[in-house]
Amino acid sequence: MSYDSNNIFARILRGEIPCNKAYEDQYALAFHDIAPQAPVHLLVIPKGEYVSFDDFSRLASAEAIAGFYRAAQKVAEQLGLQAGGYRILANTGADAHQEVMHYHLHIFAGCDLGSMIKKSLV
Ligand code: AMP
């Protein structure tokens, strides 16, 4: 799938639409999800044009990949999420219901997040 530069996260990166920013550096932007599914629900997105985890992992430079994951760690640290713990998730493609086609990590925290996958699915 080719990258659509008009996807909503690309528009957030360009400052065309607002976000509730939590962290930013040269590699990544983190902001609060507009429809949170946990008391803390952040999205971390790389600054380059990558559709998915698959795309990012294959195409991004080693510097961009390292910078992105270090930024995600800084988000967790700056929001004090280590004490209670947190979950990172990256939906990739149709079966995972990826809605926004700009690679992003979800960070969930702030309560007991339960089991990872509903038991009925396994
Ligand atoms: P995914 O299904 O992994 O692609 O998740 C996309 C996420 O983006 C969802 O959790 C949405 O609630 C979130 N989202 C969509 N538009 C916005 C927005 N303008 N600001 C913040 N979060 C958004």
Side-chain angles (χ1 to χ4, degrees), residues 7-44:
N7 76 74
I8 194 131
F9 293 172
R11 297 184 64 203
I12 287 174
L13 275 176
R14 290 197 296 268
E16 292 171 5
I17 56 173
C19 70
N20 185 2
K21 191 194 307 189
Y23 176 84
E24 183 170 19
D25 65 18
Q26 69 187 101
Y27 301 106
L29 172 69
F31 50 95
H32 295 267
D33 197 291
I34 203 166
Q37 296 187 43
V40 178
H41 183 176
L42 295 143
L43 300 167
V44 189

Side-chain angles (χ1 to χ4, degrees), residues 53-64:
F53 168 80
D54 193 59
D55 204 31
F56 182 65
S57 304
R58 281 188 301 108
L59 299 176
S61 69
E63 180 186 346

Side-chain angles (χ1 to χ4, degrees), residues 23-104:
Y23 176 84
E24 183 170 19
D25 65 18
Q26 69 187 101
Y27 301 106
L29 172 69
F31 50 95
H32 295 267
D33 197 291
I34 203 166
Q37 296 187 43
V40 178
H41 183 176
L42 295 143
L43 300 167
V44 189
I45 68 175
K47 291 207 163 170
E49 297 188 344
Y50 305 102
V51 171
S52 66
F53 168 80
D54 193 59
D55 204 31
F56 182 65
S57 304
R58 281 188 301 108
L59 299 176
S61 69
E63 180 186 346
I65 291 171
F68 176 72
Y69 289 107
R70 289 212 168 99
Q73 186 279 332
K74 284 179 195 156
V75 174
E77 184 174 322
Q78 290 191 0
L79 274 71
L81 305 184
Q82 290 107 327
Y86 56 95
R87 177 172 293 157
I88 289 179
L89 178 148
N91 292 319
T92 308
D95 279 356
H97 295 232
Q98 181 180 358
E99 290 171 8
V100 179
M101 295 301 166
H102 179 113
Y103 175 46
H104 51 282

